[in-house]
Amino acid sequence: MNTKNFLYISLFTALFATSCKKDDAPAYDSNVKADLSVEFDNVVGAADLALNTGSYTNAAGESFTVTKLKYYVSNFVLTRTDGTVYTVPQKDCYFLVDESDENTHEPLLSIPEGEYKTISFLVGVDSLRSTMDLSQRTGNLDPAGVASDMYWTWNSGYIFFKMEGTSPASTMMGEYMYHIGGFGGMTSSTINNIKKVTLDLTARGVPQVKSGKSTNIHLMVDVLKMFNGSSNVSIAANPMVMFDPYSTTIANNYSAMFRHDHTEN
Amino acid sequence: MHRKHFIILFIFVAGIAACSKDEIADVFTGFQKPSNFPNTVYHFETNPVTKEGFELGRKLFYDPILSANNTISCGNCHIPTGSFSHPGHSVSHGIHDRLGKRNSPPIMNLAWSPTFMWDGGIFDLDLQPVAPITNHVEMDDTLVNVLNRLRNHAEYPSLFKKAFGTSEISSNNFLKALSQFMLMCVSSESKYDSVIRNQTVFSSSEQQGYAVFRQKCSECHSEPLFTDHSFRNNGLSITSVNDMGRYPVTLNDTDKYRFKVPSLRNLAYTAPYMHDGRFFTLDAVLDHYTGSVQLTPNLDPFFLQGAQPGIPLSATERENLLAFLATLNDKNFVRNTLLAEH
């Protein structure tokens, strides 16, 4: 190879390498945090949930209304398309979705820029936080504040999921109440209804999280699945379920009520 | 100085010393672990007891502002002269004289207690007051309401500022103040404690009763707190209330009809006895153990050693045992002015 050719080849290689590098240059800076909102859109089957006014029918053939729907989501973890995992700092990561308060429907997370393929979260409050000193349970977990309606005082612990309404099938003055909790017990082992939900985001739109943008993951939360699941829940048979062995059936059912509908990048 | 003057001065100084000695009972000296007690289980590292925090807790404890209609304070059902129990009441009457289903337990030595309530449903002293405040038959209020009333009160914000450095009243500092007061309710000055500390001796009857106690009671009522903090079924007959004790807390079948083993300290002040206050006298309690223990689900195996369920006691053993139990009464505790309403 003569000198001239060598120079050409070197120059070409260098340019090519540079251009390649330029194409691979990260569009995302994982050192920069950006907003990602996760919308919990409560629905009943194919219909939007209308508190108090909407009437629906479950698999047991019982018609019902929903007068109250609240649940905790916490401990969000997101996995990038390259497989790396980001765990949202736990203390910023407890949200109470309350159907009657629109401001609670879209928890806002601050996560590193990037493209993400899965999201996972807990429905409920982890056992560690459930037993922490009261000074570590502020904001959405304050039993004198947001959590006052979602806390069992006689059997220390958070209520993870609360759904109430009316139904002619109920033998309890036409009402039903499901208050589901149980973190596994502090002084004795007992029921654990903490549910981990993991959703694939690739089929319905990978979120491209970038500073300056406001990416939104839109989840549909079908509360009909609380009734209709691997074991159908009947209002006539169980109009009221609180801290009770049967609560595990309800928790298993509602853990399947979340699905990714679309992403707004 | 004249010798005579010196003597007068001495008498004068001695007089002052004597005066201050009388007041010592009313002086805050912080939380102190009695020498014959084990290590505490409360998390003092997140809530150190201070004079200001304790005094705030004491004020809150006796203030009916914690109830929905300003009528019921903690002290209503936890009376200091009753070792902070509700003497004479099988179950207590709360707001609008509504009745509960369980006997108001004494508040004493809670720094050593891993769980609270007869069923142990509460695992942190800080979380305990929320239950009576929100219970329909007790104070029937919400923490949100209580905190709002305290925030709008003429004195409380400045008292919180003194105790916690902030006049902002949160569930955290509100409940921690109450904990500070309750933690200071330490009963450790009974005759039994003095004997253990080699400051006095038992009478012959007390000594023999101590031997009976060790043979027949200490399995559950272990020294020096006189409870092992476990949950047991002691064979009480099941009433129409059908209180299943710890079962609703754990949902384990083996916890049905089990209740927390209560301490035997200060029995002279805490009658009636048992989780539902069904026995008015210690004699009635001993009658139960000697002759009326029922074979109900999960009866503690300790009661199944003899021909019939229960604990046999001869007349002499019974007499001596009662003499020993009387040495567990701590009159300094029930008269402690530091713990009384101010």
Side-chain angles (χ1 to χ4, degrees), chain A residues 7 33 41 70 162 225 244:
Chain A
L7 277 175
K33 294 272 179 65
D41 189 351
K70 287 178 164 188
K162 200 177 231 193
K225 291 198 168 156
D244 180 282

Side-chain angles (χ1 to χ4, degrees), chain A residues 130-131 133-135 137 142-145 148 151 153-156 183 186-191 243-245, chain B residues 43 46 115 120-123 126-127 130-131 134 143-144 147 171-172 175-176 246 248-252 255:
Chain A
S130 293
T131 55
D133 188 87
L134 205 50
S135 59
R137 298 201 252 148
D142 185 351
S148 64
Y151 184 78
T153 62
W154 61 278
N155 191 10
S156 309
F183 63 84
M186 172 74 167
T187 54
S188 237
S189 175
T190 184
I191 50 175
F243 194 69
D244 180 282
Chain B
H43 47 88
T46 65
T115 63
I122 297 169
F123 53 74
D126 296 353
L127 303 172
V130 191
T134 57
L143 266 187
V144 179
L147 295 189
S171 47
N172 182 47
L175 292 165
K176 289 217 156 105
R246 187 156 170 78
V249 169
T250 67
L251 303 175
N252 298 327
D255 282 328

